[in-house]
Amino acid sequence: MKHYILLLRGINVGGKNALPMKDLVSILDSLGAVEVRTYIQSGNVVFEASKEAAAHIASKLGPEIKRRRGFQPTVLVLSQNDLRRAIERNPFPDAESDANRLQVGFLADAPASPDLERLGTIKLESERFRLDGKVFYLHAPAGVGTSKLAANSERLLGVPMTARNWKTVCRLMEMAEARAPK
């Protein structure tokens, strides 16, 4: 069994798409996940599974949440190596101490035709971004919540994405490594 990181997009935000973590854990258990651990209430999970079970979870979790809760979030399952690679390839290491303003966007697929030019025209002068395959890095020193770049990046990349701040990304890696066999 290997360690995987599950990211759900758009749950428990502003009172919408409510999904208690205990219910998420129960659903994951029913789909074959083992040693399920959640981090905060926004759909961050570390679990163990075989490669086949992880693929099954990735394809069945969204529909199962829809069946039980009435909405279907975007579901991304990353291997521990995928997450490690995203951390190691961070193009803005100087921003790591600004963990809430450094975002890592995990994409469902590598964009076929991202509009990087448009992304460049809407960003603030202080903002930086980089697309690296299925990972979109964004440093927004003035704040992510008010950033036009952050608000429009998924649409201009053209593929589903869910973003996490640097602190959350690192915490998920710590959780996965803590579960790793010795």
Side-chain angles (χ1 to χ4, degrees):
M1 293 225 267
K2 295 192 179 226
H3 294 87
Y4 292 91
I5 294 81
L6 168 73
L7 304 173
L8 296 179
R9 178 167 176 233
I11 68 162
N12 299 332
V13 178
K16 296 182 180 177
N17 298 335
L19 179 60
M21 292 300 97
K22 65 181 175 56
D23 293 353
L24 177 57
V25 170
S26 175
I27 295 168
L28 287 165
D29 285 342
S30 75
L31 293 174
V34 178
E35 298 292 329
V36 178
R37 293 178 54 205
T38 63
Y39 176 66
I40 59 179
Q41 299 296 309
S42 56
N44 304 297
V45 180
V46 174
F47 68 94
E48 295 177 27
S50 67
K51 186 176 181 179
E52 297 77 19
H56 174 76
I57 290 164
S59 68
K60 299 296 183 190
L61 182 59
E64 186 61 19
I65 292 171
K66 182 171 178 94
R67 185 181 76 75
R68 294 186 190 199
R69 306 294 296 186
F71 66 93
Q72 185 166 335
T74 298
V75 175
L76 294 176
V77 175
L78 309 170
S79 72
Q80 186 174 345
N81 287 335
D82 292 335
L83 187 62
R84 181 179 294 110
R85 191 174 316 110
I87 291 169
E88 290 171 353
R89 294 176 66 116
N90 172 23
F92 310 122
D94 59 309
E96 290 176 5
S97 62
D98 197 12
N100 289 329
R101 293 187 167 109
L102 176 58
Q103 298 276 306
V104 182
F106 297 94
L107 288 75
D109 291 299
S113 55
D115 193 346
L116 299 177
E117 184 175 325
R118 179 74 177 126
L119 285 169
T121 64
I122 63 172
K123 76 177 192 65
L124 295 176
E125 188 174 320
S126 64
E127 294 178 329
R128 304 179 283 175
F129 71 90
R130 171 101 29 96
L131 176 62
D132 184 4
K134 292 171 50 174
V135 181
F136 181 74
Y137 300 91
L138 167 64
H139 180 223
V144 174
T146 58
S147 170
K148 287 182 183 180
L149 179 58
N152 290 284
S153 57
E154 180 180 40
R155 180 179 58 82
L156 293 171
L157 291 170
V159 295
M161 176 177 78
T162 187
R164 299 297 189 269
N165 68 37
W166 189 251
K167 178 182 175 184
T168 297
V169 169
C170 291
R171 179 66 182 127
L172 291 169
M173 190 73 233
E174 289 170 9
M175 289 171 65
E177 288 175 339
R179 307 301 286 183
K182 303 288 184 217

